[in-house]
Amino acid sequence: MYDEEQQPEHGPLAGFTVGVTAARRAEELGALLQRRGATVLHAPALRIVPLADDSELLAATKEIIDRVPDVVVATTAIGFRGWVEAADGWGLGEQLVGRLRGVRLLARGPKVKGAIRAAGLTEEWSPSSESLAEVLDRLLEEGVDGSRVAVQLHGEPLPGFVEALRAAGAEVLPVPVYRWMPPEDTGPLDRLLDTAVGRGLDALTFTSAPAAASLLSRAEERGLLGELLSALAHDVLPACVGPVTALPLQAHGVDTVQPERFRLGPLVQLLCQELPARARALPVAGHRVEIRGHAVLVDGALKPVPPAGMSLLRALARRPGWVVPRADLLKALPGAGRDEHAVETAMARLRTALGAPKLIQTVVKRGYRLALDPAADTKYADA
């Protein structure tokens, strides 16, 4: 019998394929996932375009220098640094920093605080939650009626934040430092979409709302939106770094998982919990068999399995212990045609990959079955 105390030599995400849509810090996220055993498929869903030559940012910068606001909200470290660098390029850096030194400067989180202090400034306050919602609550509680509030944006307009301030009587000056644009080469994104729709991913990660919106938009352009939403609802786990990132998906009725702390590390740890918990584990022929995305754990040992073999194994696992006819297994094979010999070939490769031939029994003239342990027959009879 298998040893439940056996310690695996693989990472918790071994056998799973995770899609990464991030444009920024994608290498960091990919490395964290791969370190835990995942196969990573990366396709940036957008690109970040600096606005150093953009008239909107220049106009906003000049307006802040000419008419100093009462409050400035800094939302991202890269955005705040980019703003100061752009102002330096226009010869307005010293004037901008001088004006910001005399206003109430609120920072969304510790990284933004670091960028503010690197510019020689000091923030008045920053929430421990790193949440813009808490920044908004504080401003509304203190009252902003008649105040001028500048909000440094980072690629997205933050409509709820800006609208709430305006509704409370504030004059809001958006400072757009970067703009999100679709990727110049949509090939990788299309391959990621096709893989998600084909259920070749176990999870799809999102680290910004614009990335989620861009993926959905591209799916709609290609006529795949319905299929993508179905995949995300049933087979591909959508994992977002935080609630703001999840909004475009939630607007389409997609439920997501999110870590308690809105960081890449906790996002990866969440996947380490969620994906193994979703994998199906069965007691088969005295072994513990756990079926993952593109691999199988047999008594805790990782066994990579070809796609055709995974298709057969999933078909058998839908009714463990029951005979599945060759004709039904043939339908489960991608692009197998009508020759049932393809089932025999794929089955032989599957048994070799699993390394335990007795897991799958041949039932002469009928088909194949998973050799479910007798004690488990009652439990799985109606599976």
Side-chain angles (χ1 to χ4, degrees):
M1 295 294 287
Y2 59 86
D3 180 6
E4 294 208 20
E5 298 301 319
Q6 182 174 342
Q7 294 298 313
E9 297 179 0
H10 51 80
L13 295 179
F16 295 113
T17 302
V18 180
V20 172
T21 61
R24 208 166 51 87
R25 300 181 69 191
E27 288 186 8
E28 180 183 350
L29 177 55
L32 287 171
L33 291 165
Q34 289 173 338
R35 205 173 298 149
R36 286 155 181 82
T39 296
V40 175
L41 184 59
H42 173 232
L46 43 77
R47 57 194 167 99
I48 304 170
V49 182
L51 301 187
D53 298 322
D54 193 280
S55 58
E56 291 177 61
L57 178 58
L58 177 58
T61 302
K62 286 181 175 178
E63 186 169 348
I64 284 174
I65 291 172
D66 294 340
R67 294 180 59 218
V68 182
D70 302 293
V71 181
V72 173
V73 179
T75 62
T76 62
I78 188 173
F80 190 82
R81 284 195 300 268
W83 182 17
V84 174
E85 288 169 6
D88 278 336
W90 294 319
L92 301 173
E94 287 187 16
Q95 288 177 272
L96 175 62
V97 171
R99 295 295 190 273
L100 295 180
R101 195 167 280 124
V103 307
R104 296 180 58 210
L105 195 50
L106 306 185
R108 183 180 63 85
K111 291 185 178 179
V112 193
K113 281 166 46 174
I116 288 172
R117 293 178 184 183
L121 301 165
T122 305
E123 78 287 347
E124 178 187 286
W125 177 79
S126 179
S128 58
S129 66
E130 305 174 35
S131 165
L132 267 182
E134 192 172 340
V135 176
L136 178 62
D137 289 343
R138 183 182 179 96
L139 287 171
L140 295 179
E141 187 177 322
E142 293 174 349
V144 293
D145 190 17
S147 298
R148 296 186 74 240
V149 182
V151 182
Q152 170 253 309
L153 305 177
H154 180 61
E156 53 189 315
L158 302 175
F161 188 88
V162 171
E163 287 170 2
L165 290 174
R166 284 176 174 154
E171 177 190 348
V172 181
L173 174 63
V175 182
V177 184
Y178 288 84
R179 180 167 292 152
W180 301 112
M181 301 288 285
E184 287 181 309
D185 178 10
T186 58
L189 185 60
D190 287 343
R191 286 191 289 275
L192 183 68
L193 264 174
D194 291 339
T195 306
V197 167
R199 274 63 171 179
L201 297 178
D202 298 291
L204 191 54
T205 61
F206 300 92
T207 56
S208 73
S214 178
L215 182 77
L216 293 168
S217 175
R218 182 60 182 165
E220 189 168 22
E221 287 174 12
R222 296 185 58 210
L224 295 174
L225 182 59
E227 293 177 64
L228 176 64
L229 295 177
S230 176
L232 294 174
H234 300 106
D235 302 295
V236 181
L237 178 67
C240 296
V241 77
V244 173
T245 296
L247 289 176
L249 294 161
Q250 290 176 344
H252 283 82
V254 175
D255 292 327
T256 66
V257 296
Q258 304 156 27
E260 291 184 8
R261 292 181 61 247
F262 312 145
R263 287 282 181 269
L264 296 186
L267 176 64
V268 172
Q269 288 303 319
L270 180 63
L271 288 174
C272 289
Q273 298 165 16
E274 291 282 342
L275 288 180
R278 290 160 64 100
R280 184 149 195 203
L282 296 168
V284 182
H287 301 274
R288 183 182 187 276
V289 175
E290 182 179 317
I291 303 170
R292 295 192 167 190
H294 60 265
V296 179
L297 298 186
V298 179
D299 298 338
L302 187 69
K303 307 289 185 179
V305 176
M310 289 302 303
S311 298
L312 292 182
L313 187 58
R314 288 196 182 94
L316 293 171
R318 288 191 192 103
R319 300 206 73 190
W322 291 68
V323 177
V324 180
R326 284 182 175 81
D328 291 351
L329 291 173
L330 183 63
K331 293 176 185 175
L333 281 179
R338 300 180 180 179
D339 186 0
E340 289 189 2
H341 180 67
V343 174
E344 296 173 16
T345 302
M347 190 64 71
R349 290 174 179 165
L350 171 60
R351 283 171 163 157
T352 300
L354 294 175
K358 293 182 180 180
L359 295 177
I360 301 170
Q361 295 177 339
T362 301
V363 182
V364 180
K365 295 184 179 181
R366 292 182 61 198
Y368 300 89
R369 66 185 286 271
L370 278 183
L372 194 70
D373 286 341
D377 279 348
T378 303
K379 180 178 179 182
Y380 292 101
D382 298 321

